Amino acid sequence: MVKADLKIIFFGNTAFSKTFLKYLHEVINYNVVGVVTDPDKELRKHGKKFMQVTPVKQYAEENNIPLLPHDAEVLKEQDANLYVVVAYKYLQKSIWQIPAYGTINIHPSLLPQFRGPA
């Protein structure tokens, strides 16, 4: 297998996650074929409504990386052979078992003892 054969789907939400996505995509130039991130959130601030997008979604849109739903059937259709999960929510076994080369999970703390945003 050569680097060009590796097709990655990236899962993440936070600025911490975005750092890894940017590194994979720009620095080591891997083939990121899609991104899974949380949906936009509606927020209210000073009486005004606005939509908040995740830093990962913002990066994906700026770099024309397709956004994918958190759905096993849709993910299977992408035929990716590696998933990279960085500070993302719980991933069901039916999803993390899809890629032929497995799933790599990176989290900024020890799991499961220190899970969550803190």
Side-chain angles (χ1 to χ4, degrees), residues 16-60:
F16 177 79
S17 302
K18 177 186 162 189
T19 303
F20 284 85
L21 175 58
K22 186 175 181 178
Y23 185 79
L24 282 172
H25 185 248
E26 291 180 24
V27 178
I28 56 177
N29 207 23
Y30 274 107
N31 185 17
V32 180
V33 297
V35 164
V36 179
T37 190
D38 282 347
D40 300 349
K41 292 181 185 176
E42 185 177 296
L43 297 177
R44 292 179 184 262
K45 204 171 205 177
H46 305 293
K48 295 182 181 179
K49 286 193 242 181
F50 64 96
M51 297 303 286
Q52 180 182 21
V53 300
T54 68
V56 168
K57 179 180 179 179
Q58 184 178 13
Y59 180 85

Side-chain angles (χ1 to χ4, degrees), residues 63-77:
N63 291 277
N64 299 314
I65 302 171
L67 293 167
L68 304 169
H70 185 115
D71 179 274
E73 294 307 313
V74 174
L75 294 170
K76 282 179 190 174
E77 292 172 5

